[in-house]
Amino acid sequence: MTTQANDLAVDVRGLRKQYGDVTAVDGIDLEIRTGEVFGLLGPNGAGKSTTVEILQGNRGRDAGEVLVLGSDPATGTRAWRSRVGIVWQDESAPAELTVGETVRHFARYYPRPRDPEEVIGLVGLEAKVDSRIKALSGGQRRRLDVALGVIGDPELLLLDEPTTGFDPAARRQFWDLIRKLAGEGTTILLTTHYLEEAENLADRLAIVAKGRVVAEGEPAALRERHGTGATVEWTEPDGTPRAEHTDTPTKVVAELMHRFDGEIPGLLVTRPTLEDVYLRLTGQEDVR
Ligand SMILES: Nc1ncnc2c1ncn2[C@@H]1O[C@H](COP(=O)(O)OP(=O)(O)OP(=O)(O)O)[C@@H](O)[C@H]1O
């Protein structure tokens, strides 16, 4: 099936960005379909933030074609900007203002904003509407950042490492929020270091390493495609644990059955996890 150009919220071909001697983005292609949650997953320094900044129109590029909601971000108009929601890292909203004041204030920048009270509810900050920003926890602060990112009712939301520094409970609450926004039809691009986050949220993801996309697709399909073989583990009669990596696990198990003449002690057959695939593709196998 070919994707129509107008089904794409983001269409990137051959993107390159150099900082002096450092090649941050080395020929990235990306297609993000309207309505999907897309994860850009990769280790530190892979080029994720640079890519997102270029999509936001906040950073120039050295080469490549980039269309975001049909426009080149480098020449994006004010009307285009109002259709793209950006969740800034370390948003510098005035600390003395309350949550309610801040969201209502930002709403005035947009031609067709969402209702501020509804957005505060959406991000789960109803109880904090009269709290000053400086009194919010890190996770609540991040929710406010998302509220400011969606107050203009964007078609596309760009989130750069939205949950870095969250505790596990805050991360899960944040995932619910992203799913809610996706359920309303917002196209979402998020970058993350966390494989679990990408696997839980993303309809499709691209794994980036050293400025290149090394794999792309639905999480389950990536595991299928790149996670070859299986590991068969068992225990020998003298108690020695054994493991064999193989492309034909059924054959190995059949041979073991024959040798043991029935039950195989400690039998375990495992396929590579997406984490194994990710670590291999990003050249981090040794960290396990
Ligand atoms: N303003 C800059 N000036 C010089 N080099 C930069 C600049 N911004 C990023 N880089 C370099 O470009 C490369 C890619 O950085 P980038 O921040 O895009 O990666 P990232 O995948 O977002 O990493 P992280 O997960 O650590 O945020 C890195 O080597 C980084 O040091």
Side-chain angles (χ1 to χ4, degrees):
M1 192 178 70
T2 55
T3 309
Q4 297 288 312
N6 57 5
D7 287 339
L8 297 178
V10 173
D11 192 359
V12 171
R13 316 247 160 217
L15 181 63
R16 300 179 71 85
K17 175 70 186 175
Q18 192 90 20
Y19 297 107
D21 292 344
V22 177
T23 304
V25 179
D26 192 12
I28 280 185
D29 296 336
L30 278 183
E31 286 191 351
I32 302 177
R33 297 171 197 147
T34 300
E36 77 179 343
V37 178
F38 193 95
L40 210 51
L41 176 69
N44 287 127
K48 305 180 298 294
S49 298
T50 301
T51 302
V52 171
E53 285 165 8
I54 292 168
L55 299 182
Q56 292 169 345
N58 292 325
R59 195 171 285 290
R61 59 186 190 262
D62 295 325
E65 289 161 37
V66 181
L67 286 178
V68 174
L69 301 178
S71 295
D72 185 336
T75 55
T77 61
R78 205 178 152 156
W80 172 81
R81 284 191 171 268
S82 74
R83 297 166 60 207
V84 181
I86 297 174
V87 176
W88 300 98
Q89 299 228 28
D90 307 318
E91 177 70 57
S92 52
E96 296 300 328
L97 291 186
T98 67
V99 167
E101 287 164 348
T102 306
V103 177
R104 285 190 285 272
H105 175 74
F106 273 74
R108 291 194 206 107
Y109 293 134
Y110 295 93
R112 277 177 301 282
R114 295 175 68 136
D115 173 38
E117 312 312 316
E118 184 227 319
V119 167
I120 291 166
L122 179 72
V123 300
L125 283 178
E126 306 93 322
K128 295 285 171 186
V129 67
D130 293 322
S131 299
R132 291 186 197 284
I133 292 179
K134 64 181 182 190
L136 299 179
S137 73
Q140 291 162 346
R141 189 53 225 263
R142 211 72 186 114
R143 285 165 171 263
L144 175 63
D145 293 340
V146 174
L148 302 181
V150 300
I151 188 66
D153 200 13
E155 292 161 52
L156 170 69
L157 186 62
L158 303 172
L159 298 134
D160 193 11
E161 289 173 24
T163 63
T164 297
F166 277 25
D167 66 34
R171 177 163 296 130
R172 269 162 208 280
Q173 284 172 3
F174 195 86
W175 293 354
D176 287 341
L177 169 59
I178 296 301
R179 288 194 196 102
K180 235 190 277 182
L181 290 167
E184 292 181 350
T186 312
T187 306
I188 296 172
L189 167 63
L190 67 103
T191 73
T192 183
H193 296 134
Y194 303 112
L195 178 74
E196 196 195 357
E197 184 155 286
E199 207 172 4
N200 265 282
L201 285 181
D203 298 311
R204 288 192 308 131
L205 56 92
I207 298 177
V208 285
K210 299 187 182 126
R212 290 169 182 261
V213 174
V214 291
E216 189 181 351
E218 292 172 17
L222 281 181
R223 194 173 38 228
E224 284 282 308
R225 202 175 327 134
H226 296 279
T228 54
T231 303
V232 180
E233 293 171 69
W234 72 94
T235 310
E236 291 291 341
D238 66 357
T240 311
R242 294 278 310 274
E244 188 173 324
H245 188 73
T246 174
D247 287 331
T248 54
T250 310
K251 186 161 165 262
V252 172
V253 171
E255 285 163 5
L256 286 169
M257 265 179 79
H258 182 69
R259 179 148 73 83
F260 282 93
D261 196 20
E263 276 305 301
I264 306 161
L267 176 68
L268 193 63
V269 182
T270 47
R271 297 274 176 191
T273 64
L274 189 55
E275 184 171 3
D276 297 325
V277 173
Y278 170 62
L279 293 174
R280 182 164 59 75
L281 289 172
T282 56
Q284 301 179 97
E285 273 167 306
D286 298 344
V287 303
R288 290 218 95 179

